[in-house]
Amino acid sequence: MQNREVMDKPLKNPPTYMINSVDHALRIATMLQLEGELTVSEVAERLGVARSTAHRLLAMLVYRDFAVQDDRRLYRAGPVLELAAHSPSVASRLRAAALPHLHRLVDVLDESANLVVRTGDTVRFIASVECAQTLRVGSREGMVFPAHRTTAGLLLLAELTDEELEAVYPAERYADRPADRPDLERLRTELARVRRNGFVLNQGRSERGVVALGVPLRAPDGNALAGLSVSMPSGRYDRHRLPSLVDALSHAAGAIEADLAGSV
């Protein structure tokens, strides 16, 4: 969202002096990690740059071993990213199954939508689709945030037992940064409410001026795989729309779950 006022400790703000080439290269590395093989044309389209620019960026990533090109002229994660490249299957399948439904959700609601997974005490946005409105919440794809401060993070933390939650936030891990550790008693109360409701309504928790709403995305065994969310400027949020927003998200989550089950 442009010109947004962020809370006292912002999750992520663009640096004052944005270096687009560095940003593009890092985004390509993230795409290769999460999605596997990509062509020059696909990279160019995703970044909104010319094919020649995408080719130069990929060539530099190949030179530094962040990417490799095979005999089919496809690019994939290179040796530097090899550890991540060995484990993208779940995230890649999730993303592939979710993207068409994220686009449909954005078409229906005209607000930005996200797919998010949790790793420990952080979450990663593995897919984002922006709406077309001038004032909108921008793409968070590839970005990592503290789990307890995000919509999808709360959804996924709500799946944990008290013992599992303690293991995610051991006091010793935060010994040198105690302010970053959430108040677990307060967090447990919040997570109990999430479990009762089945969704999260985030009004300015992550960023002042932004409202987000999310539901869990589940595997056939019932375990939560990811969080599906929609974000909007707070000025466009109408509490009377809450039931219809939850219904739209739940419908999209069900469709993604069905596609995932059918691909196994």
Side-chain angles (χ1 to χ4, degrees), residues 20-35:
N20 285 332
S21 60
V22 175
D23 185 50
H24 287 332
L26 293 173
R27 288 181 62 191
I28 293 171
T30 299
M31 287 188 279
L32 293 173
Q33 282 184 334
L34 295 177
E35 302 170 45

Side-chain angles (χ1 to χ4, degrees), residues 15-119:
T16 303
Y17 299 102
M18 192 81 165
I19 304 174
N20 285 332
S21 60
V22 175
D23 185 50
H24 287 332
L26 293 173
R27 288 181 62 191
I28 293 171
T30 299
M31 287 188 279
L32 293 173
Q33 282 184 334
L34 295 177
E35 302 170 45
E37 299 172 339
L38 291 169
T39 66
V40 173
S41 295
E42 288 171 333
V43 170
E45 182 180 357
R46 293 280 294 282
L47 296 181
V49 299
R51 288 184 79 258
S52 58
T53 300
H55 185 269
R56 288 195 297 271
L57 289 164
L58 285 161
M60 182 55 68
L61 290 175
V62 169
Y63 175 66
R64 291 297 183 185
D65 290 327
F66 281 82
V68 294
Q69 186 183 31
D70 62 23
D71 54 9
R72 298 169 296 161
R73 306 186 69 79
L74 293 173
Y75 291 87
R76 56 183 173 80
V80 173
L81 302 177
E82 191 173 18
L83 179 61
H86 282 308
S87 58
S89 56
V90 173
S92 181
R93 283 202 312 117
L94 269 173
R95 190 178 190 285
L99 267 177
H101 300 287
L102 286 177
H103 282 285
R104 292 189 192 103
L105 190 61
V106 171
D107 288 343
V108 170
L109 300 179
D110 203 15
E111 301 292 354
S112 301
N114 303 288
L115 183 71
V116 184
V117 296
R118 181 183 70 86
T119 302

Side-chain angles (χ1 to χ4, degrees), residues 157-171:
L157 291 172
E159 300 290 308
L160 304 180
T161 64
D162 284 350
E163 293 75 16
E164 289 170 334
L165 192 66
E166 289 277 359
V168 170
Y169 296 103

Side-chain angles (χ1 to χ4, degrees), residues 191-218:
L191 297 180
R193 183 167 60 250
V194 172
R195 286 189 287 271
R196 288 195 302 271
N197 293 340
F199 65 87
V200 167
L201 175 62
N202 176 349
Q203 295 182 280
R205 183 190 186 102
S206 304
E207 297 176 53
R208 190 168 296 152
V210 173
V211 172
L213 182 69
V215 300
L217 186 66
R218 299 188 180 279

Side-chain angles (χ1 to χ4, degrees), residues 10 23 97 132 139 147 167 243 246:
D23 185 50
S139 172
V246 172

Side-chain angles (χ1 to χ4, degrees), residues 122-222:
T122 63
V123 292
R124 178 187 283 269
F125 285 67
I126 63 171
S128 285
V129 177
E130 291 186 22
C131 68
Q133 301 207 59
T134 302
L135 183 64
R136 62 182 181 271
V137 178
S139 172
R140 303 293 190 264
E141 189 169 302
M143 299 178 81
V144 176
F145 298 118
H148 69 283
R149 296 186 62 200
T150 64
T151 305
L154 292 172
L155 287 166
L156 299 170
L157 291 172
E159 300 290 308
L160 304 180
T161 64
D162 284 350
E163 293 75 16
E164 289 170 334
L165 192 66
E166 289 277 359
V168 170
Y169 296 103
E172 57 271 19
R173 181 184 298 165
Y174 298 86
D176 59 344
R177 49 189 180 99
D180 290 343
R181 186 174 187 252
D183 180 328
L184 291 192
E185 285 306 310
R186 180 177 177 182
L187 183 58
R188 286 191 187 97
T189 300
E190 292 175 322
L191 297 180
R193 183 167 60 250
V194 172
R195 286 189 287 271
R196 288 195 302 271
N197 293 340
F199 65 87
V200 167
L201 175 62
N202 176 349
Q203 295 182 280
R205 183 190 186 102
S206 304
E207 297 176 53
R208 190 168 296 152
V210 173
V211 172
L213 182 69
V215 300
L217 186 66
R218 299 188 180 279
D221 62 6

